[in-house]
Amino acid sequence: MRGAGVRTVRGWVRDTAGGLPRTFWYLWTGTLINRLGSFVLVFLAIYLTQERGFDELAAGLVLGLWGVGGTVGTTLGGTLADRWGRRPTLLTAHLGAAGMMLVLGFAQQLWAVAGGALLLGLFAEAARPAFGAMMIDVVPERDRLRAFSLNYWAINLGFACAAILAGLAAEASYLLLFVIDAATTLATAVIIFVKVTETRAPARAVVLPAGAARPRGALRTILGDRIYLGFVALNLLGALVFLQHISMLPIAMGDDGLSPSTYGVVIALNGVLIVAGQLFVPRLIRGRSRSHVLALAAVVMGVGFGLTAFADAAWFYALTVLVWTLGEMLNSPSNSTLIAELSPADLRGRYQGVFSLSWQVAGASAPIAGGLVRQQAGNAALWLGCAAVGVVVAVAHLASGPARERRAAALRRPAGPAPAQRGPLTSAAR
């Protein structure tokens, strides 16, 4: 019996983590180290309001500027990942983020804090599309669901540890949060520099038939892709709800007399649950309709945030976190694999950048919108509104899912041989 159990565990480990490329594991390690020190964004709202004495609107504006910087960063990072390369984009973004983390930690005046947040958002988020494109480059399609799940598991393992440690560190010194975050970001850059090589395929020359139209540029291609943009818009709506756990949730808990360390423990439950269960999710959802999974995830997340309207104690806040985390666990791997399948190979960086842009737009607007709703309509209206948005997103996923799957199937089909005709020579990617 014992031997059979060991074989079962070994088989599960092999099915979950076996056979993935070495480059993936270097990226995975960098992600884990970086997230172990990801203190600042989690506690920035508390730092601004309790340590620096800014009001809720000022704190929301600073967090919003972080999102604005991220909006520029993801757009620029996606373009650079396709044109300059994944590796140099990642290195530049991580080095810049480490430097700006220290600048933000030492900034005193509101204008300096706001400027530091803007530039930090730019550098930190410029890495996201390059990282996503590199993951798609190195991991075969059949392994992407478990690869993205493993990476998400690493993110949340680091986050679970960071949230608890950050709560303790914040009580000693808020500056320590910025220093540790900068150090782990720099460590990730070192891993990429030493171990990771460029994965971007060289641009191919394409011979067009005589009289054929030139291919559209990248921007026109993306703007004309209504199916992909619709998917991005749904992610934006979901992100507006999800990001309230960074901006308005710590403020709501503070109003109920709960300390920053209590918030750290409560929010760490998000990472703990994902660490405990995320690796089982691929097997649970494999073969199921992604549209149905995404719709269910939106409803569960909406319910979790909606319950926050009634929370008034640490245990109740913890319950709401556990509920919306279940939705997050269903949403993440389905989202990641769908993005990969909807992205043309020569535009992966820019498609990743556009998707990341939805997170940055949400990052810029969620704290401002949340702060305004909370001030004007009250705490309950904010969280019940989050529940309503979750239902809307779920219905939209069910309606748009079939068209997305048809597009993904079309992109998976190999292209036929190019006609052997002479014509003008043009680059495949612009």
Side-chain angles (χ1 to χ4, degrees):
M1 290 291 292
R2 186 176 180 181
V6 171
R7 286 194 297 271
T8 300
V9 171
R10 288 177 177 172
W12 175 80
V13 171
R14 184 174 58 253
D15 291 343
T16 302
L20 292 171
R22 182 177 299 178
T23 299
F24 164 79
W25 289 112
Y26 291 138
L27 294 172
W28 184 91
T29 303
T31 295
L32 178 59
I33 292 174
N34 196 6
R35 291 294 174 163
L36 283 170
S38 58
F39 295 168
V40 170
L41 187 56
V42 176
F43 277 82
L44 189 56
I46 295 175
Y47 168 72
L48 294 172
T49 55
Q50 295 188 10
E51 177 73 8
R52 303 304 307 277
F54 299 132
D55 60 27
E56 292 182 7
L57 185 57
L61 288 172
V62 171
L63 287 167
L65 284 171
W66 180 305
V68 171
T71 299
V72 177
T74 52
T75 304
L76 181 62
T79 300
L80 290 176
D82 283 339
R83 292 189 172 184
W84 189 23
R86 326 304 198 201
R87 184 173 181 268
T89 302
L90 282 172
L91 286 172
T92 303
H94 281 90
L95 292 173
M100 291 311 305
M101 196 76 68
L102 295 176
V103 170
L104 182 60
F106 285 102
Q108 296 297 317
Q109 301 299 320
L110 178 59
W111 66 266
V113 173
L118 177 72
L119 292 175
L120 178 57
L122 187 151
F123 281 111
E125 298 303 326
R128 191 185 297 271
F131 183 90
M134 183 172 276
M135 287 271 287
I136 299 171
D137 290 343
V138 302
V139 178
E141 181 185 331
R142 66 180 183 277
D143 294 326
R144 285 175 187 161
L145 178 61
R146 60 196 183 98
F148 281 116
S149 293
L150 282 165
N151 190 66
Y152 199 63
W153 183 82
I155 289 172
N156 285 278
L157 176 61
F159 177 78
C161 298
I164 296 174
L165 294 174
L168 299 174
E171 295 184 353
S173 169
Y174 274 99
L175 179 61
L176 189 59
L177 302 181
F178 294 91
V179 172
I180 295 175
D181 208 335
T184 55
T185 303
L186 183 61
T188 302
V190 171
I191 291 173
I192 294 170
F193 180 76
V194 174
K195 293 294 186 180
V196 177
T197 58
E198 181 57 57
T199 63
R200 178 178 64 109
R204 295 174 299 172
V206 177
V207 178
L208 297 177
R214 293 171 63 88
R216 295 188 299 175
L219 180 60
R220 289 185 61 192
T221 298
I222 296 173
L223 292 178
D225 194 341
R226 296 181 181 179
I227 291 175
Y228 187 74
L229 292 181
F231 178 61
V232 170
L234 291 181
N235 188 74
L236 170 60
L237 288 176
L240 287 172
V241 172
F242 180 73
L243 291 178
Q244 298 302 326
H245 81 277
I246 295 176
S247 54
M248 292 301 109
L249 180 60
I251 295 175
M253 291 182 66
D255 287 348
D256 283 329
L258 301 174
S259 68
S261 59
T262 301
Y263 168 72
V265 172
V266 167
I267 203 65
L269 293 174
N270 168 259
V272 170
L273 184 59
I274 292 175
V275 169
Q278 187 68 48
L279 298 184
F280 298 94
V281 171
R283 184 170 296 182
L284 179 66
I285 66 176
R286 187 179 293 123
R288 299 184 184 275
S289 166
R290 276 184 293 207
S291 302
H292 293 172
V293 173
L294 289 170
L296 177 61
V299 170
V300 174
M301 280 198 288
V303 169
F305 280 99
L307 287 173
T308 310
F310 309 102
D312 58 0
W315 71 266
F316 204 150
Y317 281 108
L319 176 63
T320 68
V321 170
L322 291 176
V323 173
W324 56 255
T325 297
L326 293 174
E328 181 189 357
M329 291 168 66
L330 294 172
N331 180 78
S332 176
S334 298
N335 246 358
S336 298
T337 56
L338 192 53
I339 299 162
E341 292 187 31
L342 292 176
S343 304
D346 56 346
L347 297 177
R348 280 175 182 162
R350 278 167 277 200
Y351 265 66
Q352 289 282 328
V354 170
F355 183 78
S356 297
L357 188 62
S358 66
W359 282 102
Q360 304 319 312
V361 172
S365 53
I368 298 173
L372 289 174
V373 171
R374 198 167 182 275
Q375 283 187 348
Q376 300 299 320
N379 187 63
L382 169 64
W383 303 114
L384 294 176
C386 288
V389 172
V391 173
V392 171
V393 171
V395 172
H397 273 306
L398 293 176
S400 59
R404 290 197 302 256
E405 295 300 335
R406 288 194 296 270
R407 171 63 60 81
L411 288 174
R412 282 196 300 267
R413 287 196 292 267
Q421 298 183 35
R422 293 186 177 181
L425 194 66
T426 184
S427 173
R430 301 205 167 269

